[in-house]
Amino acid sequence: DPRGTYMCETESRKSSPLQVYYRMCQNCIEVDVPTISGIVVADVVATVFLAVAVYCITGPGKGHMSRASDRQNLIANEQLYQ
């Protein structure tokens, strides 16, 4: 427990006392370098997976050729838009 009053002393003089208060976190989790790197790698992998999934769902269909039956005429032939 590092709490208490500290004073620095040299041969020629004394310093004024320094009061130290130390407060520990009760619900803290200690995180080390492998844990942080694992979180970063998992985040990057999840982001790439999400980007690929969105591209596959919304991207243009490969191999799908448009056919004449896929198109609709919005205006009949020889008819004016009103």
Side-chain angles (χ1 to χ4, degrees):
D1 190 16
R3 287 182 289 181
T5 304
Y6 293 90
M7 187 177 298
C8 185
E9 296 180 11
T10 62
E11 292 179 6
S12 61
R13 64 181 188 164
K14 286 186 175 181
S15 66
S16 59
L18 176 68
Q19 184 73 29
V20 175
Y21 295 101
Y22 182 73
R23 199 168 128 191
M24 286 187 61
C25 179
Q26 297 295 326
N27 297 322
C28 294
I29 300 171
E30 188 174 331
V31 181
D32 53 354
V33 174
T35 304
I36 293 172
S37 62
I39 291 170
V40 169
V41 168
D43 187 26
V44 169
V45 168
T47 303
V48 169
F49 178 73
L50 183 63
V52 169
V54 168
Y55 176 76
C56 289
I57 291 172
T58 62
K62 296 178 183 175
H64 176 72
M65 302 298 288
S66 64
R67 297 175 296 207
S69 63
D70 288 343
R71 298 181 184 165
Q72 270 186 340
N73 290 330
L74 299 177
I75 300 175
N77 292 341
E78 304 290 327
Q79 195 177 28
L80 294 175
Y81 179 74
Q82 297 180 5

